[in-house]
Amino acid sequence: MKTKIFALVDCNNFYVSCERVFRPDLKNKPVIVLSNNDGCAVARSNEVKALNISVGTPVFKIADLIKKHDIQIYSSNYALYGDMSERVMNTISSFVSSIEIYSIDEAFLDLSDISETEITNFCKKIQQTVYQWTGIPVSIGIAETKTLAKIANRIAKKSKKAKGLLDLTQSPYINHALEITDVEDVWGVGRQYGKFLKKHGILNALQLRDAAHYLIRKKMGICGTKMQNELKGKSCFPLETNPPAKKGITVSRTFKKAVTNIKDIKEAIATFVSRGGEKLRREKSVAKLMIVYISTGRFIDKTYCASKAISLPVPTNNTPELICYAMDAIEKIFRQDFLLKKAGVIFQELAPENSYQTGLFDRIDRKKSKKIMTSLDAINKKMGAGTLKYAATGLNPSPKWRTVFNMRSPAYTTDWNQLPCV
DNA sequence: TCTGGGGTCCTAGGACCC
DNA sequence: TCTGGGGTCCTAGGACCC
């Protein structure tokens, strides 16, 4: 059997690159994109990485650095990033028959059919085309397994010589590549495992590959074994071209300012439930279980968190029905005197919309409610999110609990009113 | 003062059944 | 009344990913 060849295409500093496409003046300047509520740094340009600002740093902790280096700060603009991602993925897809869209900014490709001598040129072509068509710079790592392709990609990004492209298949430098890869940078090794491995003298990917099998198996389970095999060039993670159905759907938000009254919490939860209902319907799923939760912040003394799970008598994705149950649940778990900072709803035990168990005593006309939901989704899609909404979600256009994005760029590509002007 | 959101998988242990 | 073993299912917790 011919050995598999995987490529990992990864957008460089994706959110920052999206902002730069429409603001070319930001090139070579330090840029940060923030999380919801403008809280933490979630994307950093190379200039910012060079300042040792790590991902997840709260922005208030680096106020002085921002000022000193004139770092450009942006709120998250998911409409823009989602659309740019689609353009990038469509472009890559036009080159290959097998693609796994792994995240908003990464895709694995199967290049087994490309002849060895052609692979580098083929990938260069992908790189150039993506940049030309979308303005997004990408790096590509190539190897016999996904884990090695990840490593190749990391090095491709960092090394000046590689110019964003590195092929480690049959490479005489493979050991060297593994040796210069910190063990914590291996795909599947996080903080905890990293600490453990380093304690045992396993500092880099090469040492991890050659480490005692029983030790890795015992601590990291079957994933550890697969990881070692992948580092040896034996593929254990195949390309997943058809994403499996989701197993759960969550909608949750942190509030910029703490919320203390039940009316606000109810509005927030009703809003999250509506959003969750939309997501369920888009997936063509119904939920059997809904969990509603509220909590105080993590950084205070007097904490409180509570949740309520609701087993739905008939699995559903019907927003008003879900809102009713959620409102009941909130009544039960809400406590005065706590500064609530976060709330959310989780849908679990999902089933396909068309093949669920109906209830014997079900009094809801499900055909009718489905029609209403379909129309509502269609109108909101056409006229903009939130055009039609339920009164329970609140009538105030900017309620206290609303997520803030004070430094957001325009939705350049998805809103006629925000198109860039030349 | 100010600290994100949405996922997946594996494992150990307990309950329960035969 | 005492004794054994094997299997399945569920759940909570812990790890990871982006």
Side-chain angles (χ1 to χ4, degrees):
Chain A
M1 198 185 80
K2 199 168 175 246
T3 55
K4 285 270 175 200
I5 302 209
F6 295 92
L8 174 65
V9 185
D10 191 324
C11 302
N12 302 346
N13 319 324
F14 182 55
Y15 293 178
V16 167
S17 295
C18 290
E19 300 292 345
R20 280 175 169 167
V21 169
F22 298 93
R23 288 285 307 274
D25 57 301
L26 295 176
K27 268 180 200 165
N28 305 315
K29 286 191 184 156
V31 181
I32 288 178
V33 174
L34 301 175
S35 63
N36 280 1
N37 288 317
D38 298 334
C40 302
V42 291
R44 305 150 297 148
S45 71
N46 288 343
E47 299 76 17
V48 173
K49 289 176 185 170
L51 294 171
N52 273 327
I53 295 173
S54 49
V55 66
T57 309
V59 70
F60 70 85
K61 285 191 178 170
I62 47 170
D64 46 340
L65 280 174
I66 292 171
K67 206 166 176 189
K68 186 173 165 198
H69 298 279
D70 191 27
I71 301 176
Q72 306 296 304
I73 306 286
Y74 284 87
S75 303
S76 291
N77 185 344
Y78 301 115
L80 176 65
Y81 311 149
D83 184 62
M84 293 303 286
S85 171
E86 209 180 307
R87 292 171 189 228
V88 169
M89 297 306 169
N90 286 342
T91 307
I92 300 171
S93 299
S94 69
F95 283 86
V96 290
S97 51
S98 295
I99 176 170
E100 173 186 345
I101 297 172
Y102 178 67
S103 74
I104 193 164
D105 70 337
E106 283 171 78
F108 285 104
L109 316 179
D110 181 348
L111 299 186
S112 312
D113 294 338
I114 313 288
S115 82
E116 267 172 55
T117 50
E118 278 304 306
I119 282 193
T120 304
N121 279 333
F122 183 77
C123 289
K124 260 188 200 155
K125 186 81 187 152
I126 294 180
Q127 238 179 352
Q128 283 163 3
T129 311
V130 170
Y131 189 69
Q132 191 183 349
W133 292 4
T134 69
I136 300 292
V138 300
S139 299
I140 306 185
I142 304 144
E144 280 104 340
T145 69
K146 284 180 163 182
T147 306
L148 289 173
K150 275 264 183 190
I151 287 174
N153 192 294
R154 262 191 77 81
I155 298 172
K157 273 210 176 81
K158 291 200 160 180
S159 143
K160 274 230 161 77
K161 221 170 92 190
K163 289 189 190 146
L165 184 61
L166 179 62
D167 184 354
L168 282 182
T169 49
Q170 310 286 327
S171 168
Y173 303 113
I174 184 81
N175 281 9
H176 180 244
L178 294 179
E179 203 171 4
I180 61 171
T181 301
D182 189 292
V183 74
E184 270 190 42
D185 294 329
V186 175
W187 195 36
V189 177
R191 275 263 258 301
Q192 300 304 315
Y193 290 156
K195 229 192 272 174
F196 169 86
L197 293 168
K198 285 183 177 172
K199 210 172 74 191
H200 284 77
I202 300 163
L203 308 179
N204 59 48
L206 186 68
Q207 289 171 332
L208 175 56
R209 182 193 73 184
D210 299 333
H213 173 243
Y214 69 89
L215 180 76
I216 304 302
R217 175 68 178 85
K218 185 151 186 267
K219 180 73 181 176
M220 302 170 69
I222 191 71
C223 290
T225 300
K226 287 186 178 177
M227 190 183 302
Q228 279 189 305
N229 279 327
E230 284 246 322
L231 288 172
K232 287 174 189 160
K234 292 181 215 156
S235 175
C236 297
F237 304 121
L239 203 72
E240 309 266 4
T241 45
N242 309 319
K246 280 199 170 48
K247 307 206 161 155
I249 286 175
T250 305
V251 181
S252 72
R253 292 290 180 275
T254 299
F255 309 124
K256 183 91 182 170
K257 280 192 176 159
V259 168
T260 51
N261 80 63
I262 192 165
K263 179 175 164 283
D264 287 326
I265 283 290
K266 278 186 161 181
E267 283 182 13
I269 286 289
T271 305
F272 304 159
V273 170
S274 301
R275 189 76 247 290
E278 284 169 17
K279 288 188 181 186
L280 282 169
R281 296 191 292 274
R282 196 182 345 128
E283 289 275 315
K284 298 200 188 306
S285 292
V286 287
K288 290 185 198 170
L289 186 71
M290 174 169 68
I291 301 157
V292 173
Y293 70 90
I294 52 177
S295 74
T296 56
R298 291 170 295 162
F299 306 102
I300 58 169
D301 292 335
K302 196 181 164 193
T303 59
Y304 170 72
C305 61
S307 66
K308 172 98 184 126
I310 302 118
S311 274
L312 298 156
V314 177
T316 184
N317 58 22
N318 182 245
T319 297
E321 192 188 357
L322 292 166
I323 288 179
C324 279
Y325 286 114
M327 295 300 97
D328 276 355
I330 287 294
E331 296 274 1
K332 295 201 174 84
I333 58 177
F334 181 80
R335 297 273 182 285
Q336 222 109 36
D337 311 327
F338 285 104
L339 300 169
L340 299 176
K341 278 286 278 184
K342 187 172 181 179
V345 59
I346 304 168
F347 296 104
Q348 285 183 344
E349 295 179 32
L350 307 189
E353 200 170 36
N354 297 319
S355 67
Y356 60 87
Q357 189 88 41
T358 55
L360 190 53
F361 305 106
D362 192 13
R363 272 184 287 178
I364 294 179
D365 181 345
R366 305 227 162 243
K367 272 202 178 133
K368 193 171 151 197
S369 65
K370 172 152 195 211
K371 270 191 186 162
I372 296 173
M373 288 297 104
T374 307
S375 313
L376 181 134
D377 289 337
I379 289 168
N380 283 337
K381 189 178 176 197
K382 195 168 173 189
M383 316 280 288
T387 302
L388 274 185
K389 57 181 201 166
Y390 284 87
T393 63
L395 299 172
N396 182 348
S398 55
K400 273 201 316 214
W401 49 268
R402 191 178 66 158
T403 314
V404 301
F405 301 93
N406 285 331
M407 293 158 283
R408 185 148 66 187
S409 54
Y412 297 106
T413 62
T414 55
D415 186 336
W416 288 110
N417 298 315
Q418 300 185 38
L419 292 183
C421 295
V422 181

